[in-house]
Amino acid sequence: MPVLNYALLTSVVQSHSENDDSEFTGEVQNFVERAELRMTRDLDTYGTVLWAQTTLIVGDPFVTKPSVALVVKSLNIMDGGQRYQLLLRTNEWVYNYWPDRTSVGRPKYWANWGRPNVLIAPAPASSSLAELEYVARPATLSTANGTNYFTDYCWNALFCGTMIEAMMFQKDYQSAAQWEARYQQEVNILNNEGRRNRRDDQQVPENPSGSENNLREGQK
């Protein structure tokens, strides 16, 4: 079996596209990057999940997200040797729960505050350690970085996603639609794998937010 890496990906994309023009070749890197970013947003898998820690500032209700974070999945704080999971709420709910911005305590809830920040309520009364679980794009593939999570575990989807971009570049919209259909099949397979990894009692998928199990049932 050939080594699944960036070099092989660019080679098979060029071969399937039947295009060795220098302009096309120069764009292959962009095809791959757009496919990677799309996959990061389309996939629901632990393979794109990372963790980061930061120290809360007393009286400051804002936590800065990592710059690469696309989705924050959970927020925990460590206080007095114990780990507490904060519950996700909307901004409006947090405003109503915590109308006095000067009050402090052990944070119980969090909400997204624009793109770069998380709002926690109430503001921390101590400089506890906070841990964010978030979704981020794996290290971008390139000649200097030949492999990542996508090449190792999502090769078919990555290949199909890159071919979509290649066909769109060539204005071959019929072929792009065919590759799109194959891409969606591969993404569905990977997302079903993600649901299986979250199963708690082999009955229904576990909702990572901690609320009722209302996630879409997948195949066993």
Side-chain angles (χ1 to χ4, degrees):
M1 180 177 178
V3 178
L4 305 180
N5 57 23
Y6 176 77
L8 177 62
L9 178 61
T10 56
S11 175
V12 294
V13 166
Q14 191 162 346
S15 175
H16 279 68
S17 301
E18 298 181 334
N19 190 338
D20 58 3
D21 182 78
S22 59
E23 184 179 11
F24 178 87
T25 303
E27 285 293 318
V28 173
Q29 173 72 45
N30 292 329
F31 302 158
V32 175
E33 290 190 16
R34 287 197 291 270
E36 288 183 294
L37 183 57
R38 180 180 180 183
M39 287 176 64
T40 304
R41 291 189 163 108
D42 286 346
L43 294 180
D44 186 9
T45 170
Y46 286 118
T48 56
V49 175
L50 297 175
W51 288 263
Q53 291 185 335
T54 187
T55 300
L56 301 179
I57 299 174
V58 175
D60 185 356
F62 297 104
V63 177
T64 301
K65 301 176 186 177
S67 60
V68 295
L70 295 177
V71 178
V72 175
K73 292 174 64 67
S74 68
L75 176 58
N76 294 269
I77 62 170
M78 276 60 78
D79 187 16
Q82 297 292 319
R83 178 186 293 270
Y84 300 93
Q85 182 176 13
L86 278 61
L87 298 178
L88 173 61
R89 295 290 186 262
T90 63
N91 289 338
E92 294 81 5
W93 195 98
V94 172
Y95 300 155
N96 186 64
Y97 166 77
W98 185 52
D100 181 5
R101 287 288 184 90
T102 64
S103 64
V104 297
R106 178 169 61 80
K108 295 181 179 181
Y109 305 100
W110 70 276
N112 285 292
W113 183 269
R115 183 67 176 175
N117 296 308
V118 164
L119 172 67
I120 58 177
S126 63
S127 54
S128 306
L129 187 67
E131 182 179 74
L132 286 91
E133 180 186 15
Y134 62 96
V135 173
R137 174 177 162 184
T140 303
L141 290 169
S142 65
T143 53
N145 181 53
T147 61
N148 63 12
Y149 176 77
F150 293 147
T151 58
D152 293 344
Y153 299 100
C154 313
W155 176 261
N156 289 342
L158 175 62
F159 171 56
C160 293
T162 307
M163 284 300 300
I164 294 170
E165 299 298 331
M167 293 301 99
M168 293 296 291
F169 178 83
Q170 297 187 147
K171 297 181 174 57
D172 185 349
Y173 304 120
Q174 182 176 357
S175 294
Q178 294 173 348
W179 284 108
E180 176 69 32
R182 289 191 57 185
Y183 170 81
Q184 293 297 337
Q185 290 175 346
E186 296 298 332
V187 166
N188 286 338
I189 290 171
L190 293 168
N191 281 337
N192 186 65
E193 181 181 276
R195 287 190 290 269
R196 293 171 68 188
N197 277 323
R198 289 193 300 273
R199 299 185 81 87
D200 48 10
D201 55 4
Q202 299 301 311
Q203 296 289 326
V204 293
E206 180 183 5
N207 190 328
S209 71
S211 57
E212 64 175 316
N213 280 347
N214 57 4
L215 300 182
R216 182 159 59 100
E217 179 71 9
Q219 299 175 3
K220 296 183 180 179

